Amino acid sequence: MAFSRGPVFLLLLLYLLWGSDTSLIRLNENGYEDIIIAIDPAVPEDTTIIEHIKGMVTKASTYLFEATEKRFFFKNVSILIPESWKDSPQYRRPKQESYKHADIKVAPPTVEGRDEPYTRQFTQCEEKAEYIHFTPDFVLGRKQDEYGDSGKVLVHEWAHLRWGVFDEYNEDQPFYSASSKKIEATRCSTGITGTNRVYACQGGSCAMRRCRTNSTTKLYEKDCQFFPDKVQSEKASIMFMQSIDSVTEFCKKENHNREAPTLHNKKCNYRSTWEVISTSEDFNSSTPMETSPSPPFFSLLRISERIMCLVLDVSGSMTSYDRLNRMNQAAKYFLSQIIENRSWVGMVHFSSQATIVHELIQINSDIERNQLLQTLPTSANGGTSICSGIKAAFQVFKNGEYQTDGTEILLLSDGEDSTAKDCIDEVKDSGSIVHFIALGPSADLAVTNMSILTGGNHKLATDEAQNNGLIDAFGALASENADITQKSLQLESKGAILNNSLWLNDTVVIDSTLGRDTFFLVTWSKQAPAIYLRDPKGTQTTNFTMDSASKMAYLSIPGTAQVGVWTYNLEAKENSEILTITVTSRAANSSVPPITVNAKVNTDTNTFPSPMIVYAEVLQGYTPIIGARVTATIESNSGKTEELVLLDNGAGADAFKDDGVYSRFFTAYSVNGRYSLKVRADGGRNSARRSLRHPSSRAAYIPGWVVDGEIQGNPPRPETTEATQPVLEDFSRTASGGAFVMSNVPIGPLPDVYPPNRITDLQATLDGEEISLTWTAPGDDYDVGRVQQYIIRTSKNIIELRDNFNNSPRVDTTNLTPKEANSEETFAFKPENITEENATYIFIAIESVDKSSLSSGPSNIAQVALFTPQAEPDPDESPSLSGVSVATIVLSVLGALVLVCIIVGTTICILKNKRSSSAAITKF
């Protein structure tokens, strides 16, 4: 592979290489390669899980091949096995595979007792999702009655993951008013037949009855469910209920149900799932195969101890901006607190040449850690040869009698190196993972490419020491394969240049999920500060270890730290002093996962004026934490910072409300080059809580089947209510979100090129003769500021409104004054010239326009029905036999009396005297 020396070509290459943030999947000759299925460390050892994974994927490959009209199949799959499981001769050491890159995770359920398969999907239509989550019980086939064949479920979830489609059922709106003026079950296609019933179980017994109509919604009551017929002829759609035997296809334009209030319709602008899949890069780079593919090939990879070499830049430029000392501070923090016991670690220094300063040594105690600390550099001079440092690291691995597969290189450099591109192929072929920390604005872009190619982390630390970027970067390099309860989590990362005030004061919260190995680190640039630290009981702690040579002080809390608010006060001894503080801790209990925050951006490289999207995911185990207060700090390579409040409101950049993912657009670019991301999350003001809602983008739960006219129900799945979501104790977390690279940013003030963000949460209800609308306000620039005006248009035809918005009738919005971005907007209007006689529905969409006349484009389309839909006969009324499927008629003759029982949803018995016309009607 040849690389241009120019940075523009490098940026283009980085863009082409960048797909999903984490996935290593490649499509090669119709087959998906490098799929990673990871068994979570929290899963107890059970090797039958491995065999069931193989069976599931093999069946799914055949189903996928047919569902995509002979285009796609699964070619090779790696199964990651936890380090805690016993070794086996058939297991190999992973190369670049890790839990970070897992496409499918076999892990404990989000909520105990709920084994629903789902895809973690928090991006928009057509965009790849994060990962698929299956529980061990699901993989082992113990949930087949509730979700169907695991191979078919995998194809349903794969469509979420790979092509960014959404479900074609809706448990929040399971029924809708169809244009036929009947109540229909939300589904695609409408060719799927079934029965609507309420099925309730209590005390071990279950009862079934007809659905009643809700007087407010005019639809069926909350507990009404659609039971599909077991025997069907309809082939679509996989995104509705792939568990139906006849279903083998995705909905297409010809049979797509645009009326149904499915999430897919809302997110993908009423296009069918097959239309969305057909626009994907996968589809456009492939053609149907003429022969059937071979079964998937599986590799079994067992996680083992880390093998890492620190490759540290000691070139002359490291003497500037106190870089050498700051690197040593961060490296000491990494070696003493972050790198895990049993890891093998070596060290290389490089300038124009490289020197091995420590061979691999296994860390079992502080003795080995201190040996490595003694080899940190004390001086810097000479040029920069990154490839020399990397090749020396390879030699360290060889000297330790290790293959390079799966080894890690932690590379820090501050300089440009025109020869760095010369060893990219060697690095790629080595199987080693390169984590690159770019220090300062001049670090070479070719090394960023190495990091991406090898699946490593890419971090940026500027020369603004008060932003604590270097320590954050090293702290983020804990093992990606370790159990989360063993990882060191960052609770605080803060710094300041102290001029007018010599004090840096604040608090840090240690919640009950943390407390083990709690560590406080303070750094300074001139003179050691006075350090005052008080625990939650007010007791002052003074026994910090002072390392004057490295300008740092640290304290380890023995045992488990007290839960509550810790207060720190740092007093500088000189003006213009730079102080920073970092606090980390580990889980207090290995059986209770701690709260975590993970940060990322939507792409690793970007070109002005495209916006970035910042995401922060707050979880406890796999359970989302909602109601937290989350902020992002974005720092350019010049040291300028911007702060964003991230939102989980389901509007703007945020795809789903209350899913534990907090999002925001970022457009405040100041320079070309690298930008770093850091996120802080805390419990807010008694608002954060665990979300026990069923996750979106999941396989539909099967309530039961209609077999030969009778409903065979499954046990109702475990349900939760808002009352079971207690407010969490306060907590605080910080996390580094890596770096991204910007190009083509103009010099000087940025032009106004950003429109308002598209409205995605428009809702409409009919209130008498008026239609009431609600939505979240966009901003002048995406989700910042205030728009100039709203344009609301309506239509009797959903496709006309979607495809010809500007020519659709406009609503008078003279009295509608836009609010600030992210506020709730409401508006009511009376539709003109539209009645039930000439239309069954009214469809509404909104467009926002800013002060520069830039438009957001039309919103999602909301709809209201102008009629009351027909329901099945109410069980409280005598049903007519016309059009009713009568399950059973029982006739008994008792002397002069005839007892006729008609069993439909309700049993109605008529006791008639044969000698007269009188009859008694009894209903059971």
Side-chain angles (χ1 to χ4, degrees):
M1 187 183 296
F3 289 87
S4 163
R5 292 177 181 269
V8 174
F9 184 83
L10 274 171
L11 285 172
L12 175 61
L13 179 62
L14 287 170
Y15 175 78
L16 293 174
L17 286 168
W18 190 252
S20 170
D21 176 61
T22 57
S23 179
L24 301 179
I25 294 174
R26 296 183 301 124
L27 181 64
N28 182 17
E29 296 181 348
N30 297 83
Y32 288 109
E33 299 181 336
D34 301 333
I35 300 167
I36 299 174
I37 302 179
I39 303 173
D40 193 275
V43 174
E45 183 168 358
D46 181 355
T47 55
T48 59
I49 290 176
I50 298 172
E51 297 309 311
H52 277 80
I53 289 173
K54 291 180 180 180
M56 174 181 68
V57 175
T58 300
K59 287 186 293 184
S61 184
T62 301
Y63 189 57
L64 178 68
F65 185 68
E66 296 302 325
T68 58
E69 300 181 351
K70 305 185 187 304
R71 281 184 181 269
F72 307 121
F73 66 99
F74 297 136
K75 185 177 287 187
N76 66 60
V77 177
S78 295
I79 301 177
L80 277 185
I81 299 164
E83 186 177 2
S84 60
W85 288 27
K86 293 176 184 176
D87 203 357
S88 169
Q90 61 181 320
Y91 299 163
R92 295 189 294 106
R93 181 181 176 86
K95 292 185 179 180
Q96 294 154 3
E97 300 89 352
S98 71
Y99 288 108
K100 169 187 173 183
H101 301 296
D103 306 292
I104 301 169
K105 298 182 179 183
V106 180
T110 55
V111 177
E112 187 175 355
R114 294 201 328 216
D115 291 272
E116 51 210 353
Y118 71 93
T119 301
R120 190 61 163 152
Q121 185 174 18
F122 52 75
T123 48
Q124 302 295 342
C125 185
E126 301 183 25
E127 297 179 1
K128 294 180 177 66
E130 298 300 296
Y131 58 83
I132 297 167
H133 182 179
F134 292 148
T135 68
D137 277 356
F138 173 81
V139 172
L140 290 169
R142 297 168 183 163
K143 300 297 175 181
Q144 186 160 317
D145 288 346
E146 293 91 334
Y147 297 103
D149 180 83
S150 61
K152 298 180 78 172
V153 171
L154 174 52
V155 173
H156 175 102
E157 300 306 329
W158 187 264
H160 287 306
L161 179 77
R162 189 69 187 177
W163 303 311
V165 300
F166 296 89
D167 290 322
E168 293 187 296
Y169 66 91
N170 189 339
E171 291 184 353
D172 292 329
Q173 294 178 268
F175 299 97
Y176 67 99
S177 303
S179 56
S180 62
K181 298 192 176 183
K182 293 182 178 180
I183 302 176
E184 289 283 359
T186 300
R187 66 199 189 280
C188 189
S189 73
T190 54
I192 298 293
T193 58
T195 301
N196 306 315
R197 290 290 185 271
V198 172
Y199 181 57
C201 297
Q202 187 174 8
S205 63
C206 298
M208 190 168 297
R209 61 171 174 80
R210 286 182 179 273
C211 300
R212 301 186 179 98
T213 303
N214 181 289
S215 60
T216 301
T217 66
K218 309 302 181 185
L219 300 174
Y220 288 134
E221 60 190 298
K222 176 179 177 291
D223 294 328
C224 184
Q225 299 180 87
F226 175 74
F227 291 83
D229 293 331
K230 183 66 175 176
V231 178
Q232 306 263 357
S233 59
E234 181 61 43
K235 294 183 178 181
S237 167
I238 289 170
M239 298 314 292
F240 168 61
M241 195 174 281
Q242 76 296 321
S243 52
I244 297 172
D245 290 340
S246 66
V247 168
T248 56
E249 298 177 356
F250 295 96
C251 258
K252 298 181 179 178
K253 187 175 183 179
E254 298 76 28
N255 60 359
H256 180 54
N257 182 7
R258 295 185 182 88
E259 293 182 354
T262 66
L263 189 60
H264 182 80
N265 271 337
K266 177 181 177 181
K267 293 289 186 182
C268 297
N269 212 13
Y270 297 87
R271 292 176 294 161
S272 69
T273 51
W274 188 248
E275 286 176 274
V276 174
I277 293 169
S278 299
T279 64
S280 69
E281 182 184 349
D282 290 351
F283 194 94
N284 292 323
S285 61
S286 64
T287 55
M289 296 174 61
E290 296 181 358
T291 59
S292 297
S294 300
F297 175 80
F298 296 93
S299 300
L300 304 183
L301 309 176
R302 179 177 172 270
I303 301 300
S304 55
E305 65 273 7
R306 298 179 85 179
I307 303 170
M308 173 178 279
C309 186
L310 275 63
V311 180
L312 306 179
D313 191 341
V314 292
S315 62
S317 56
M318 288 294 292
T319 60
S320 304
Y321 301 101
D322 199 29
R323 289 174 182 169
L324 183 65
N325 182 62
R326 290 176 58 221
M327 177 182 73
N328 284 342
Q329 289 174 340
K332 285 185 176 183
Y333 167 59
F334 177 78
L335 291 170
S336 63
Q337 288 297 309
I338 304 301
I339 189 71
E340 298 81 10
N341 278 337
R342 300 185 64 250
S343 300
W344 291 85
V345 182
M347 191 180 299
V348 166
H349 299 169
F350 74 93
S351 54
S352 52
Q353 294 182 326
T355 303
I356 297 174
V357 297
H358 207 296
E359 299 287 359
L360 289 175
I361 182 174
Q362 188 171 35
I363 296 177
N364 294 307
S365 67
D366 287 343
I367 295 174
E368 294 82 16
R369 296 178 189 271
N370 289 330
Q371 287 181 30
L372 289 163
L373 292 175
Q374 297 305 314
T375 60
L376 289 171
T378 57
S379 61
N381 58 75
T384 303
S385 176
I386 290 171
C387 286
S388 295
I390 289 174
K391 290 179 179 180
F394 290 158
Q395 187 62 48
V396 168
F397 300 142
K398 183 177 179 181
N399 294 347
E401 299 183 353
Y402 282 99
Q403 299 292 325
T404 54
D405 287 351
T407 58
E408 298 176 73
I409 294 174
L410 197 171
L411 171 64
L412 181 143
S413 179
D414 74 336
E416 292 183 355
D417 177 6
S418 61
T419 66
K421 64 187 182 300
D422 296 341
C423 58
I424 286 181
D425 281 347
E426 183 178 357
V427 170
K428 180 183 176 184
D429 295 338
S430 71
S432 190
I433 301 167
V434 177
H435 306 293
F436 178 43
I437 298 175
L439 178 54
S442 301
D444 203 276
L445 285 172
V447 190
T448 301
N449 187 33
M450 284 185 197
S451 180
I452 292 177
L453 282 171
T454 64
N457 289 290
H458 169 214
K459 306 292 183 181
L460 166 67
T462 70
D463 290 319
E464 302 298 321
Q466 71 275 12
N467 295 332
N468 215 23
L470 199 50
I471 286 175
D472 291 339
F474 272 89
L477 296 177
S479 172
E480 293 159 355
N481 297 322
D483 189 323
I484 189 62
T485 62
Q486 304 304 312
K487 290 185 179 182
S488 181
L489 303 180
Q490 197 175 76
L491 281 66
E492 177 70 295
S493 173
K494 188 173 184 178
I497 302 175
L498 300 174
N499 287 314
N500 296 328
S501 171
L502 297 180
W503 289 90
L504 178 61
N505 306 316
D506 213 333
T507 60
V508 60
V509 177
I510 298 179
D511 59 275
S512 62
T513 68
L514 294 178
R516 185 169 53 88
D517 295 339
T518 302
F519 183 75
F520 290 80
L521 173 65
V522 175
T523 70
W524 59 89
S525 62
K526 296 180 179 180
Q527 186 178 346
I531 302 173
Y532 305 95
L533 176 66
R534 291 177 175 82
D535 67 21
K537 294 180 179 178
T539 304
Q540 185 166 317
T541 302
T542 58
N543 51 338
F544 275 76
T545 299
M546 307 299 290
D547 183 351
S548 299
S550 298
K551 300 179 182 177
M552 58 192 291
Y554 51 89
L555 168 68
S556 293
I557 304 295
T560 302
Q562 289 182 35
V563 172
V565 178
W566 292 65
T567 303
Y568 62 83
N569 308 96
L570 310 181
E571 183 186 14
K573 300 302 182 182
E574 295 187 32
N575 279 321
S576 301
E577 176 68 271
I578 299 175
L579 299 182
T580 75
I581 182 167
T582 305
V583 184
T584 61
S585 189
R586 286 183 168 87
N589 188 330
S590 61
S591 63
V592 180
I595 296 169
T596 59
V597 58
N598 303 300
K600 59 170 278 186
V601 288
N602 61 319
T603 182
D604 202 51
T605 61
N606 200 10
T607 302
F608 182 86
S610 296
M612 295 296 298
I613 301 178
V614 178
Y615 301 103
E617 186 178 26
V618 187
L619 302 171
Q620 184 175 14
Y622 286 90
T623 304
I625 302 298
I626 61 176
R629 181 173 54 196
V630 183
T631 56
T633 301
I634 299 169
E635 182 182 9
S636 70
N637 57 21
S638 66
K640 182 179 179 182
T641 61
E642 296 282 346
E643 190 168 285
L644 286 175
V645 176
L646 306 186
L647 303 173
D648 187 13
N649 62 352
D654 193 65
F656 296 97
K657 183 177 181 179
D658 288 342
D659 66 346
V661 178
Y662 302 75
S663 317
R664 202 74 186 272
F665 289 106
F666 174 71
T667 58
Y669 311 121
S670 54
V671 293
N672 287 308
R674 292 183 179 89
Y675 290 72
S676 68
L677 167 66
K678 181 163 69 176
V679 165
R680 179 184 181 93
D682 61 55
R685 297 181 179 178
N686 297 320
S687 60
R689 60 194 188 278
R690 298 170 74 230
S691 172
L692 303 182
R693 294 176 56 192
H694 297 283
S696 58
S697 302
R698 66 187 183 275
Y701 180 87
I702 306 166
W705 301 99
V706 179
V707 181
D708 296 330
E710 293 186 3
I711 293 177
Q712 297 179 356
N714 282 324
R717 65 180 180 184
E719 295 293 346
T720 55
T721 64
E722 288 291 326
T724 63
Q725 302 178 26
V727 173
L728 289 171
E729 61 188 310
D730 200 6
F731 66 89
S732 62
R733 300 288 188 275
T734 62
S736 170
F740 60 92
V741 179
M742 283 299 305
S743 60
N744 292 347
V745 177
I747 298 173
L750 299 181
D752 185 0
V753 295
Y754 297 117
N757 66 259
R758 177 175 175 262
I759 295 168
T760 58
D761 62 347
L762 176 65
Q763 294 184 338
T765 55
L766 186 62
D767 185 11
E769 295 184 347
E770 285 193 332
I771 294 175
S772 297
L773 305 178
T774 61
W775 69 95
T776 301
D780 182 83
D781 294 340
Y782 290 106
D783 53 12
V784 176
R786 189 195 303 260
V787 301
Q788 188 78 10
Q789 65 168 326
Y790 293 117
I791 297 173
I792 302 176
R793 296 185 185 274
T794 64
S795 177
K796 296 178 287 185
N797 185 292
I798 191 170
I799 302 303
E800 285 184 6
L801 185 62
R802 183 190 71 181
D803 297 341
N804 198 16
F805 177 82
N806 289 334
N807 292 324
S808 298
R810 184 169 176 175
V811 174
D812 183 4
T813 56
T814 304
N815 297 323
L816 177 56
T817 302
K819 296 179 182 178
E820 194 71 17
N822 303 306
S823 303
E824 180 180 326
E825 296 273 26
T826 59
F827 182 70
F829 69 97
K830 184 177 181 180
E832 297 179 359
N833 302 321
I834 298 180
T835 63
E836 186 177 345
E837 286 70 35
N838 62 22
T840 54
Y841 285 101
I842 297 178
F843 300 96
I844 310 105
I846 302 181
E847 186 174 51
S848 310
V849 182
D850 71 7
K851 61 181 181 296
S852 298
S853 299
L854 298 174
S855 167
S856 65
S859 68
N860 67 291
I861 298 174
Q863 66 184 53
V864 294
L866 298 178
F867 57 90
T868 299
Q870 296 176 358
E872 294 176 343
D874 192 287
D876 292 330
E877 298 175 2
S878 301
S880 166
L881 295 183
S882 175
V884 177
S885 174
V886 179
T888 310
I889 298 180
V890 180
L891 174 65
S892 297
V893 179
L894 302 173
L897 299 177
V898 177
L899 180 68
V900 181
C901 292
I902 304 173
I903 303 174
V904 279
T906 301
T907 299
I908 300 176
C909 293
I910 305 174
L911 186 64
K912 189 176 188 304
N913 190 316
K914 289 191 292 183
R915 298 185 179 89
S916 71
S917 58
S918 63
I921 299 177
T922 303
K923 183 166 59 180
F924 300 93

